[in-house]
Amino acid sequence: SSGINAEYGGPGGLWNLSWRTGTDEYGEQVHCSQNKDLFSNGPKECLEFADYTFKDHFGKSVPSFPPREVLFDYLQGYWKFHGVKNSDILTRHSVRNISYDEESEVFTVRVTNLITNEDIEQQFDRLVVATGHFSTPNTPKFDGIEKFEGRVMHAHDFKDAREFIGQRVLLIGSSYSAEDIALQLYKFGAEHITVSNRTRMGFKWLGKIYEVPIVSNIKGRTCEFKDGRREEVDAIILCTGYRHHFPFMPAELRLPNGNTLFLPNLYRNLQW
């Protein structure tokens, strides 16, 4: 048998923007880590499907690094191109448990209808877990952060840089989220942006973006860094990555958790 499960109101995965943070209207974890003004951090030439290009979809050339809305529109066109209809996709359902019977070699998947609160079980010969890696925040502890007198958030909950107009913002991290959010804060009027990390990105940052070593201590609104310098900040955004999280799978099927991009025993990081 075959089937597709999607928890939200429609497909789209990472590019299906939600305004919600924390939990949704059903009390479920909000998986979306998108923000309002995000652009692709990889060229579309490396992202597009061979059988349906961006030019096929839009009828003309588009920039190599398209914004969120363009990518989502392209994805919608792709599944329509393959004849996937809304009725083919089970939405507003959440997977609760997966079991595997070694004798029959069949997976049993139990899901909850979030609208009716009823459970449904289906059996499958093959199972694809496509929950992604960018939904459960990795939140390391920094000395004194629990007493910080401003706002602390993870990049997962960052939605709009306009919220930080005129503020001094500290970003902790050294990868795509830190880079993207720093540039958005600059564009939309943050007063001062500090990027703190263990591994320097080494960019030639724009005027009011500064890169410093990792934060070592936080007192009040004062952040001290490993090299001894100090700065006053109004908000801290943790750009510290994500954890693999499979709460619906038993231990014998679950992959190792943690903030790891490439997991062991997966062929091309895809197939077990």
Side-chain angles (χ1 to χ4, degrees):
S1 59
S2 63
I4 303 173
N5 292 313
E7 183 168 329
Y8 291 110
L14 179 68
W15 299 100
N16 193 357
L17 177 67
S18 170
W19 63 269
R20 298 180 185 274
T21 60
T23 55
D24 65 15
E25 66 267 42
Y26 304 105
E28 300 289 317
Q29 176 191 349
V30 173
H31 296 285
C32 178
S33 296
Q34 275 281 342
N35 61 71
K36 186 176 178 181
D37 298 292
L38 189 67
F39 278 67
S40 168
N41 58 24
K44 75 177 195 308
E45 290 80 6
C46 297
L47 301 174
E48 64 187 3
F49 298 100
D51 59 342
Y52 188 76
T53 66
F54 277 82
K55 192 167 185 178
D56 291 334
H57 178 68
F58 291 105
K60 60 181 180 180
S61 296
V62 298
S64 285
F65 294 87
R68 173 186 56 78
E69 298 92 336
V70 170
L71 269 164
F72 187 52
D73 191 80
Y74 168 71
L75 288 174
Q76 289 176 305
Y78 183 67
W79 62 70
K80 289 177 183 176
F81 172 72
H82 282 283
V84 178
K85 303 181 295 294
N86 288 340
S87 57
D88 297 326
I89 301 166
L90 191 64
T91 61
R92 303 200 182 283
H93 286 66
S94 182
V95 178
R96 299 302 189 203
N97 185 68
I98 294 172
S99 60
Y100 179 69
D101 186 282
E102 293 191 359
E103 282 192 24
S104 61
E105 297 184 334
V106 166
F107 292 95
T108 299
V109 179
R110 178 167 58 86
V111 303
T112 297
N113 183 321
L114 298 175
I115 299 174
T116 66
N117 203 34
E118 295 176 328
D119 282 357
I120 304 168
E121 282 195 352
Q122 291 179 278
Q123 292 188 324
F124 301 93
D125 301 309
R126 298 288 185 268
L127 177 70
V128 176
V129 178
T131 53
H133 175 230
F134 302 106
S135 60
T136 301
N138 178 59
T139 54
K141 171 76 165 58
F142 294 93
D143 189 25
I145 197 169
E146 70 279 3
K147 295 182 180 179
F148 178 64
E149 296 175 357
R151 184 177 182 190
V152 179
M153 66 189 300
H154 191 276
H156 173 69
D157 294 321
F158 175 86
K159 296 297 180 185
D160 193 337
R162 297 164 186 81
E163 177 184 345
F164 300 94
I165 291 173
Q167 294 190 27
R168 302 161 298 179
V169 185
L170 170 64
L171 307 178
I172 303 178
S174 60
S175 194
Y176 296 125
S177 292
E179 178 187 350
D180 290 339
I181 293 174
L183 294 173
Q184 288 187 40
L185 291 170
Y186 176 89
K187 178 178 179 180
F188 290 107
E191 179 183 317
H192 188 280
I193 304 117
T194 302
V195 183
S196 170
N197 47 52
R198 291 187 176 89
T199 306
R200 289 183 62 82
M201 289 186 274
F203 298 137
K204 293 182 179 179
W205 292 103
L206 298 170
K208 53 187 176 182
I209 305 176
Y210 304 90
E211 192 170 357
V212 300
I214 193 66
V215 62
S216 58
N217 184 268
I218 301 169
K219 291 183 180 178
R221 288 180 180 264
T222 303
C223 296
E224 183 174 344
F225 304 99
K226 191 175 180 180
D227 62 356
R229 79 179 79 182
R230 296 179 180 180
E231 286 187 11
E232 296 273 324
V233 300
D234 302 303
I236 298 174
I237 302 177
L238 301 175
C239 304
T240 45
Y242 294 85
R243 301 180 63 83
H244 291 278
H245 190 55
F246 310 101
F248 47 84
M249 301 189 79
E252 62 269 20
L253 296 178
R254 194 182 310 142
L255 291 167
N257 292 340
N259 183 22
T260 306
L261 186 57
F262 296 103
L263 292 171
N265 301 321
L266 287 186
Y267 176 68
R268 294 190 174 180
N269 211 38
L270 291 173
Q271 184 175 326
W272 193 7

